[in-house]
Amino acid sequence: MNDTFLKACRGEETDYTPVWLMRQAGRYLKEYQEVRSKVDFLTLCKTPELAAKVTLQPIDILNVDAAILFSDILIPIEAMGMHLEFSDKKGPVLGDPVRNKAGVDRLVIPDTEDSMGFVLETIRILRRELSDRVPLIGFSGAPYTLATYIIEGGSSKNFMHTKKMMYQNPGLFGALLEKITAVTIEYLSAQIRAGAQAVQLFDSWAGILTPYDYENVIFPYVKTAVKALKKFDVPVIYFANDCAGILKIVKKCGADVIGVDWRVDMQKAAKKIGKKASIQGNLDPCVLFAPKEHIEERVQDILNKAEGTRGHIFNLGHGILPETPVENAIAMVEIVHRLSRKK
Ligand code: CP3
């Protein structure tokens, strides 16, 4: 099996730098669009054969070193009892946002097998179909990022309702985070038992917090989740988006791998993280719109700067954009493999 990705997660020597792309299955691929033209997004997530099919598309097309389960971080929120819809214009919409105690009390801690069995079935199909070609990554939203969707009712600009609850009713905010943390742990444990060989926690909105609130209010739940998952023998990756201002805190989360976005210089990030964890990242997704020579220059720059880290997994600094030319994504993977290969 190609276990380069798992080795880099654990900080072991590899022949080259492994690479995968956040949101590597998606609309920039015509093969994905073809599947998606027949079913809506949630149906795609809930139909294991189709979810497995689109998970495999980037493995064949891009030649990446890991597969990531096709699903969405909002799936468990639906299982907690909220109504979820994806609208083409507004993105995700969750009915009846949670803003008081009754709302928090109403949320359930679902049994993954009963309410999200389709995710576990997708994982089982994928492990069979991948037959150890590359490892499979499972994922979940991190507790706080899930909380923002639950409280805001969808995406947000300034996260006013989330911060209002955090400042006006810290007890309730804590109770909500505690409930979501329990869900996250149970959900990812079930994914690992079903066959996920690594798991990633997406903290997409960590960067909108003050370092004070991140450290004192949010971070304890990150540590709790990571610690619980460390009971399994699979690497845990923690990706906090827009992490430059909080990396000193983030690095203490206990994860095997810290994912970093593109706003932070790889050398500075590597220095901050030290040998505590491997590092994942961090090409600006928009560099994939540049000519191939420039992509090569930027890949080389990141590879140079990641030298000496415990382990490096090349990735974008955030999800690939739907408008990205596929041939540039293919070229990027080839460039990472070629430039990093030990002579
Ligand atoms: O990485 C992968 O290939 C796995 C699939 C994956 C999706 N969403 C598929 C998706 C993963 C890992 C996610 C995570 C996710 N979802 C995050 C965390 C990562 C990040 O980007 O910060 C977040 C915040 C979401 C919530 C979400 N899902 C939003 C805000 C949207 C709408 C915006 C958009 O990109 O369309 C989605 C929809 C979504 N999730 C799509 C895909 C392929 C597009 C749906 C479509 O086909 O129309």
Side-chain angles (χ1 to χ4, degrees):
M1 129 140 128
N2 172 0
D3 61 351
T4 314
F5 163 78
L6 293 175
K7 280 184 167 160
C9 289
R10 295 190 293 250
E12 295 166 15
E13 186 83 20
T14 58
D15 297 335
Y16 61 89
T17 303
V19 50
W20 68 281
L21 280 64
M22 285 190 274
R23 298 272 193 118
Q24 64 189 14
R27 288 165 295 188
Y28 73 105
L29 292 175
K30 64 176 186 322
E31 292 81 357
Y32 171 85
Q33 278 173 356
E34 199 188 308
V35 177
R36 219 354 220 101
S37 68
K38 298 189 190 105
V39 289
D40 63 71
F41 176 63
L42 271 179
T43 305
L44 176 50
C45 292
K46 292 177 184 177
T47 312
E49 294 72 24
L50 291 180
K53 182 176 173 172
V54 297
T55 302
L56 294 172
Q57 288 172 345
I59 313 307
D60 297 324
I61 298 166
L62 304 183
N63 194 29
V64 281
D65 298 288
I68 180 160
L69 163 74
F70 187 84
S71 185
D72 197 85
I73 62 164
L74 305 178
I75 294 286
I77 299 181
E78 190 182 43
M80 290 175 83
M82 290 181 79
H83 179 76
L84 171 65
E85 249 178 63
F86 279 88
S87 99
D88 281 340
K89 282 205 197 80
K90 285 194 287 181
V93 182
L94 289 149
D96 227 347
V98 169
R99 310 240 166 110
N100 54 30
K101 182 166 186 306
V104 174
D105 288 344
R106 249 197 325 271
L107 294 172
V108 297
I109 300 178
D111 178 84
T112 305
E113 192 68 63
D114 290 348
S115 60
M116 293 177 279
F118 52 88
V119 171
L120 305 179
E121 184 53 23
T122 305
I123 292 174
R124 291 183 199 110
I125 295 175
L126 280 166
R127 283 302 304 275
R128 271 201 307 278
E129 297 201 350
L130 281 165
S131 60
D132 284 345
R133 226 173 114 196
V134 291
L136 176 66
I137 307 170
F139 72 89
S140 165
Y144 152 76
T145 286
L146 292 180
T148 68
Y149 285 97
I150 289 173
I151 298 167
E152 303 292 334
S155 300
S156 172
K157 262 212 176 89
N158 52 21
F159 298 87
M160 184 189 70
H161 295 290
T162 305
K163 290 186 174 181
K164 250 180 158 173
M165 191 196 284
M166 179 167 75
Y167 294 129
Q168 293 180 347
N169 201 341
L172 186 66
F173 190 64
L176 175 60
L177 280 168
E178 199 166 314
K179 214 166 196 177
I180 305 170
T181 304
V183 175
T184 303
I185 293 169
E186 146 63 24
Y187 182 51
L188 285 178
S189 302
Q191 289 187 30
I192 294 168
R193 285 191 292 266
Q197 290 152 293
V199 289
Q200 174 156 323
L201 280 163
F202 284 92
D203 225 346
S204 306
W205 303 118
I208 61 107
L209 291 162
T210 66
Y212 180 95
D213 291 317
Y214 178 77
E215 180 164 28
N216 293 299
V217 185
I218 304 309
F219 193 58
Y221 298 96
V222 176
K223 280 198 295 194
T224 301
V226 172
K227 193 169 169 198
L229 295 167
K230 290 299 298 171
K231 285 205 288 274
F232 300 92
D233 191 24
V234 309
V236 178
I237 308 168
Y238 176 62
F239 169 72
N241 188 28
D242 216 342
C243 66
I246 52 173
L247 207 48
K248 281 203 308 275
I249 311 160
V250 165
K251 73 169 192 195
K252 295 186 226 155
C253 71
D256 301 87
V257 183
I258 307 287
V260 293
D261 63 280
W262 73 87
R263 299 166 194 87
V264 53
D265 180 75
M266 180 51 96
Q267 197 155 30
K268 289 202 177 117
K271 206 169 156 202
K272 266 196 189 143
I273 292 169
K275 300 278 178 194
K276 263 190 137 51
S278 299
I279 194 161
Q280 177 172 279
N282 73 341
L283 189 75
D284 182 341
C286 286
V287 169
L288 295 182
F289 294 104
K292 293 201 179 67
E293 306 72 61
H294 190 66
I295 297 176
E296 181 147 343
E297 201 177 313
R298 301 299 288 270
V299 168
Q300 184 68 67
D301 180 59
I302 291 172
L303 289 172
N304 290 346
K305 288 175 169 170
E307 195 116 338
T309 50
R310 194 190 83 153
H312 179 211
I313 297 117
F314 202 97
N315 205 316
L316 300 176
H318 203 176
I320 189 168
L321 297 165
E323 297 80 3
T324 306
V326 188
E327 63 275 17
N328 286 5
I330 296 171
M332 187 207 89
V333 173
E334 185 275 323
I335 291 167
V336 173
H337 285 159
R338 174 162 48 80
L339 296 182
S340 66
R341 192 167 280 282
K342 307 263 175 354
K343 310 281 176 323

